[in-house]
């Protein structure tokens, strides 16, 4: 009764003081001892009776002394968790995937309190002199050798191109020098793919795959010395052509569901052999391969290795000429003529030494695949998406100047400005993501959650860029032929979306599904210690998790009320501080909401893919913002980049807010739905983390990209820009420069008309008079007269006679002589 009376006497001020004190303690992440001291001081200040102080003190002591807490409170928690199966069950394949690689900055972003001082010091890599020489030499030469339209129509790369690729060791970029490879960094690997993707996707994929998941990658990390010494020099020089067989009719993104099988047995000489059967599809280079990297499930029915019957997924290297191997047929992936193929194996017998790593590698294939995919996803397809987007930005910006409607360049229309700004902004973001991610890989870090993000969001952004590019190019984009510079990218885009894990499942199952356990500071430790029966370990993880929740709840409330302004920001450009502060606010809100979802839905959260997809978007857009801010800082805070940086960051904030709104509307938590949707959701909309960039930013960006400027050159740097004026891109660039100069001269004439120096007539009617009155120079007069014909030449689309169209006769576009204007 005494306590009840006291509680009734509490004033609003005392309650407010208690709430504020609790929020501040939680905000700074105060340890439990400080909470205990603060609680006792608060109770004393309120005049509570002694017995209540003693009681609370004893309870707090139990929580503070770990052995007491573990054997009393935590033991009961463990019992409840086991009884209600609250902790999700993790299969061996899931556990292997979770244990593959390491966590990197995603752990910071998931923490609720990112350390941006440290993150902004992460490497922003640069090529070595040797690597730059390779880009400027063999890569440039390969781009010049390639004729993309001819490759597409002939459905093959010429023999001289393949010979050059092998001779210059393009297939051995990742193979160490001691084995005859080039030993290039992840950055250089990425740069090569990016440049090639701006020229020919067939060549890009043919070079990309042997340097990604495949025999070389597996051998480097897991092969025996004998295997390395035999295969790696042959792979580096092109003597062996590799492929890797993983996907099957019934196993795509679910690689763990493969049905390809191997059975261990002893031959008549007592040697261990494996009899293999497989049916693979979508295997790049299989039809021309000489060695097949194969993933299969290995069984040992006689227990010859003493490890039981089911050994698990295993990887082996199978020479393609082994009896029973079937290759030679091809798929047709959207008419892009790289070798993508089925392969089968019927009772193929190989020695156990074919297993990657030898006998000790039996059953370790899933681990090998997960660790290799963790790196590969972060390099090849993101580089391809970036190279394609840079080419689209270069082509479309020039076309927007050269192409005229209603007497003005189409880029002057706001309807064009909008997609052109999106193309420019996404191209900037893609390059930022590409370099920041390969910087981690070159440190030896393989963060699977980050590389999954990189693969999904890069390829999706690339898809958005090419769609916008096609909209602007119009008829020039849909008419195929040598003049069409982006049609192949448009056709091929779904390929990147599909491979290395379908994008839909990558977003929902890996970015957040795996990230929720892998990047969370406590969740995975709770699962592992509970399964291991480690009471003290679980105690540390569980109560650490509780503290994590309290801290992030307090940070989320405080930062929401102050719109992030209490959060710190690292040393940065003054206009960027607001974004670092917003990300602190977002991270805290994301962390507490993720814990609410995991705590209320438990293992069922894995099946709520609409929910996990929204969480994935928030985490990923925080990462994209981080990459953009890192690029801006690393490249010297260039003022001309501010428009595209602001536009990108505001776009990310708007996407994050959209995902939060979706979560608040759809998180159906028993007993809390009304509170989350009706109160928290409503407050979130009123107090949003950000909104879309204004039209002013898109106007600035589109104006910048339509100038022959350093900004445009940097934005599209690293792609192939031909100088040969028989090449469409060279001619388009020439027309772009001529158009800008002609437009500048025309502006002088229009100004003279306004000032009544010249009569009010159409520009072309008074050119000679303008020259006579020195309004324009002789050179400008020539530019204006000839600019229309130059523009006309580059906006032409290809047309064919019947034999040319059907490929029965070679087609060469008719080109006017424009060298004089170059």
């Amino acid at each position: 009764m005494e306590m009840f009376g006291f509680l009734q006497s509490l004033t609003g001020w005392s309650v407010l003081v208690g709430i504020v004190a609790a929020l501040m303690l939680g905000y700074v992440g105060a340890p439990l001892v400080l909470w205990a001291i603060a609680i006792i001081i608060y109770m004393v200040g309120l005049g509570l009776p002694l017995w209540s102080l003693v009681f609370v003190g004893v309870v707090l002591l139990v929580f503070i002394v770990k052995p007491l807490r573990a054997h009393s409170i935590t033991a009961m928690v463990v019992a409840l968790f086991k009884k209600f199966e609250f902790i999700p069950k993790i299969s061996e394949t899931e556990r292997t995937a979770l244990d593959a690689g390491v966590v990197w900055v995603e752990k910071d972003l998931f923490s609720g309190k990112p350390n941006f001082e440290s993150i902004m010091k992460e490497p922003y890599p640069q090529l070595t002199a040797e690597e730059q020489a390779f880009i400027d030499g063999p890569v440039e030469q390969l781009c010049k050798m390639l004729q993309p339209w001819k490759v597409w129509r002939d459905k093959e790369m010429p023999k001289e191109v393949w010979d050059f690729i092998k001779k210059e060791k393009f297939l051995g970029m990742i193979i160490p020098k001691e084995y005859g490879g080039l030993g290039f960094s992840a950055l250089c690997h990425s740069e090569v793919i990016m440049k090639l993707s701006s020229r020919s996707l067939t060549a890009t994929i043919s070079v990309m795959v042997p340097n990604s998941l495949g025999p070389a990658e597996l051998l480097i990390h897991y092969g025996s010395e004998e295997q390395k010494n035999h295969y790696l020099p042959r792979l580096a020089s092109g003597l062996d052509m590799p492929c890797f067989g993983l996907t099957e009719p019934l196993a795509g993104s679910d690689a763990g569901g493969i049905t390809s099988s191997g059975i261990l047995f002893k031959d008549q000489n007592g040697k261990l052999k494996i009899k293999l059967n497989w049916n693979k599809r979508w295997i790049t280079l299989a039809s021309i391969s000489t060695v097949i990297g194969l993933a299969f499930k290995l069984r040992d029915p006689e227990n010859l290795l003493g490890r039981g019957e089911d050994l698990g997924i295993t990887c082996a290297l199978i020479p393609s000429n082994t009896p029973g191997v079937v290759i030679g047929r091809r798929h047709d992936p959207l008419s892009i003529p790289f070798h993508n193929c089925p392969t089968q194996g019927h009772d193929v017998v190989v020695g156990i030494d074919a297993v990657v790593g030898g006998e000790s590698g039996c059953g370790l294939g899933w681990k090998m695949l997960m660790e290799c995919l963790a790196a590969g996803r972060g390099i090849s397809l993101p580089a391809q998406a970036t190279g394609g987007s840079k080419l689209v930005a270069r082509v479309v910006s020039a076309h927007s100047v050269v192409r005229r409607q209603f007497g003005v360049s189409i880029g002057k229309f706001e309807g064009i400005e909008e997609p052109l700004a999106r193309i420019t902004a996404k191209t900037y973001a893609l390059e930022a993501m590409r370099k920041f991610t390969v910087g981690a890989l070159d440190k030896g870090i393989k963060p699977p959650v980050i590389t999954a993000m990189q693969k999904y969001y890069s390829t999706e952004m690339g898809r958005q860029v090419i769609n916008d590019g096609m909209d602007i190019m119009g008829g020039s984009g849909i008419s195929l032929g040598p003049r069409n510079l982006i049609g192949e990218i448009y056709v091929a885009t779904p390929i990147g979306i599909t491979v290395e894990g379908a994008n839909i499942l990558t977003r929902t199952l890996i970015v957040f599904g795996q990230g929720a356990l892998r990047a969370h500071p406590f969740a995975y430790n709770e699962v592992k210690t509970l399964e291991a029966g480690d009471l003290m370990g679980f105690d540390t993880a569980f109560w650490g998790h509780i503290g994590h929740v309290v801290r992030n709840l307090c940070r989320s409330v405080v930062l929401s009320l102050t719109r992030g302004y209490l959060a710190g920001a690292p040393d940065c450009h003054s206009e960027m501080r607001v974004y670092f502060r917003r990300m602190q606010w977002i991270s805290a809100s994301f962390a507490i909401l993720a814990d609410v979802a995991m705590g209320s839905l438990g293992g069922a959260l894995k099946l709520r893919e609409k929910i996990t997809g929204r969480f994935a978007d928030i985490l990923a857009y925080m990462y994209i913002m981080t990459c953009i801010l890192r690029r801006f800082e690393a490249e010297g805070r260039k003022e001309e980049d501010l428009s595209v940086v602001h536009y990108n960051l505001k776009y990310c904030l708007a996407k994050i807010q959209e995902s939060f709104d979706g979560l608040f509307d759809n998180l159906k938590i028993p007993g809390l739905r009304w509170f989350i949707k009706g109160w928290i959701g409503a407050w979130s909309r009123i107090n949003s983390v950000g909104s879309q960039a204004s039209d002013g930013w898109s106007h600035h960006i589109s104006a910048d990209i339509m100038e022959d400027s350093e900004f445009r050159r940097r934005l599209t740097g690293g792609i192939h820009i031909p100088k040969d004026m028989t090449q469409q891109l060279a001619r388009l660039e020439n027309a772009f420069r001529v158009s800008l100069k002609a437009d500048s001269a025309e502006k002088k004439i229009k100004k003279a008309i306004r000032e009544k120096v010249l009569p009010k007539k159409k520009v072309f009617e008074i050119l000679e008079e303008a020259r006579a009155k020195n309004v324009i120079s002789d050179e400008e007069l020539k530019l204006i007269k000839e600019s229309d014909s130059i523009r006309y030449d580059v906006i032409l689309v290809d047309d064919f006679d019947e034999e040319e169209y059907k490929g029965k006769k070679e087609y060469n576009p008719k080109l006017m002589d424009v060298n004089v204007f170059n």
Side-chain angles (χ1 to χ4, degrees), residues 740-753 755 757-758 762-787:
L740 289 174
K741 291 176 182 177
D743 287 347
S744 178
E746 287 183 27
K747 286 178 183 177
K748 293 180 181 179
I749 296 174
K750 291 174 182 177
K751 180 182 178 185
I753 293 172
E755 294 174 350
V757 174
L758 293 172
K762 293 181 178 179
V763 169
F764 276 82
E765 295 175 355
I766 53 174
L767 287 177
E768 298 298 338
E769 186 177 351
R771 176 65 196 99
K773 294 184 177 180
N774 291 321
V775 174
I776 56 174
S777 66
D778 287 336
E779 182 184 356
E780 289 172 326
L781 175 63
K782 184 179 180 182
L783 276 170
I784 294 173
K785 284 183 174 181
E786 301 296 338
S787 62

Side-chain angles (χ1 to χ4, degrees), residues 8-39:
Q8 284 186 317
S9 68
L10 283 176
T11 66
W13 282 110
S14 60
V15 172
L16 182 62
V17 168
I19 292 172
V20 170
L23 284 174
M24 289 300 101
L25 284 169
Y27 182 84
V28 300
L32 186 55
V33 171
L34 287 183
W35 278 90
I37 293 171
I39 289 170

Side-chain angles (χ1 to χ4, degrees), residues 393-456:
R394 191 95 182 194
V395 169
V396 173
S397 60
H399 181 82
S400 297
V401 170
V402 172
R403 178 72 164 146
R404 285 189 167 190
Q405 294 286 277
F406 308 106
V408 296
S409 295
I410 62 171
K412 300 294 184 183
F413 294 100
E414 288 196 357
I416 301 295
E417 272 189 359
E418 190 173 16
L420 185 55
R422 286 198 298 263
I423 290 170
T424 306
K426 285 182 169 58
T427 301
Y428 184 96
L430 281 164
E431 175 70 351
M433 295 161 65
R434 182 185 73 86
K435 289 197 76 171
F436 192 56
T437 303
V438 297
L441 296 174
D442 277 330
K443 282 175 60 178
I445 297 171
K446 294 182 181 179
V449 175
I450 288 292
T451 53
M453 274 186 215
Q454 175 73 335
K455 188 269 176 179
Y456 172 84

